[in-house]
């Protein structure tokens, strides 16, 4: 059997009928909601329970990640926004105008993740402006995580609906 054919049977480009796509979707949203501005959420909970050194570690890590994120946005934010808009527009056109299922799957992953990226920038800016520490910082991070989880739930729901539609439309019963 040809290795090229074997590879494409293993990695089916019809994304919504492929188990690997759904595993990737679950891992992406699980990871995204666990790391709040690059900080593991268990660190936020530990700082809430024990304070002291855990609180100081949390504040240091948030400060480092916030400064890094805002620096990148300030130095190359317009270029990154331009490339992201170009890439997402290309995926939307390929997926929903030309009917490429792989591009549809990447669009349904990329658009919500870009919203989370914008939310992260906004949260980082607010943390720096407020000079948030202690309880205020933890509340800001928890709110950010809640909004990320809401975006993730809506994204997974829409992706599941679109995937079911595609599987019924293209599958053994559809055209």
């Amino acid at each position: 059997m040809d290795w090229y054919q074997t590879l494409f049977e293993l990695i089916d480009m019809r994304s919504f009928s492929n188990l690997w796509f759904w595993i990737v979707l679950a891992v992406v949203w699980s990871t995204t909601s666990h790391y709040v501005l690059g900080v593991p959420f268990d660190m936020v909970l530990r700082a809430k329970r024990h304070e002291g050194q855990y609180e100081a570690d949390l504040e240091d890590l948030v400060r480092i990640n916030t400064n890094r994120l805002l620096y990148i946005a300030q130095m190359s934010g317009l270029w990154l926004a331009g490339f992201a808009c170009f890439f997402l527009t290309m995926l939307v056109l390929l997926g929903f105008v030309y009917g490429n299922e792989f591009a549809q799957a990447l669009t349904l992953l990329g658009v919500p993740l870009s919203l989370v990226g914008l939310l992260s920038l906004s949260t980082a800016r607010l943390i720096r402006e407020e000079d948030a520490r202690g309880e205020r910082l933890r509340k800001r991070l928890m709110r950010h995580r809640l909004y990320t989880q809401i975006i993730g739930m809506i994204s997974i729901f829409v992706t599941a609906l679109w995937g079911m539609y595609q599987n019924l439309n293209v599958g053994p019963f559809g055209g």
Side-chain angles (χ1 to χ4, degrees):
M1 190 175 228
D2 185 3
W3 72 270
Y4 188 77
Q5 182 181 1
T6 305
L7 180 67
F8 274 95
E9 283 178 6
L10 179 65
I11 304 171
D12 185 10
M13 295 307 265
R14 284 198 51 242
S15 301
F16 299 112
S17 63
N18 193 336
L19 178 63
W20 290 109
F21 170 74
W22 298 105
I23 292 171
V24 166
L25 183 72
V27 168
V28 162
W29 283 110
S30 174
T31 304
T32 302
S33 68
H34 179 69
Y35 289 96
V36 182
L37 292 180
V39 178
F41 192 69
D42 62 288
M43 198 169 182
V44 177
L45 296 176
R46 195 174 312 120
K48 183 178 182 178
R49 276 188 236 122
H50 302 292
E51 296 181 351
Q53 184 61 42
Y54 296 111
E55 187 91 44
D57 290 346
L58 175 68
E59 289 173 359
D60 289 342
L61 193 54
V62 169
R63 180 184 46 78
I64 290 167
N65 287 338
T66 297
N67 289 339
R68 181 180 164 271
L69 191 62
L70 292 175
Y71 177 78
I72 290 170
Q74 182 181 14
M75 297 310 289
S76 57
L78 287 176
W79 282 101
L80 289 173
F83 283 127
C85 289
F86 169 76
F87 187 69
L88 290 174
T89 302
M90 180 186 68
L91 285 176
V92 168
L93 290 174
L94 283 172
F96 296 99
V97 174
Y98 293 107
N100 184 317
E101 192 173 315
F102 188 66
Q104 290 172 1
L106 289 178
T107 300
L108 292 170
L109 272 171
V111 170
L113 286 174
S114 65
L115 293 176
V116 170
L118 292 174
L119 179 66
S120 295
L121 276 174
S122 174
T123 302
R125 184 185 53 79
L126 287 172
I127 288 172
R128 180 188 274 175
E129 283 177 4
E130 296 173 344
D131 193 27
R133 298 181 189 279
E135 181 65 25
R136 183 177 219 159
L137 176 63
R138 289 192 308 270
K139 282 186 178 180
R140 179 74 59 199
L141 293 174
M142 287 182 172
R143 185 175 302 132
H144 177 81
R145 183 174 192 237
L146 176 68
Y147 292 157
T148 300
Q149 288 176 330
I150 290 170
I151 292 170
M153 286 187 302
I154 293 169
S155 171
I156 290 170
F157 180 72
V158 169
T159 303
L161 286 179
W162 186 256
M164 285 186 282
Y165 170 75
Q166 285 296 103
N167 286 335
L168 290 173
N169 193 31
V170 178
F173 306 113

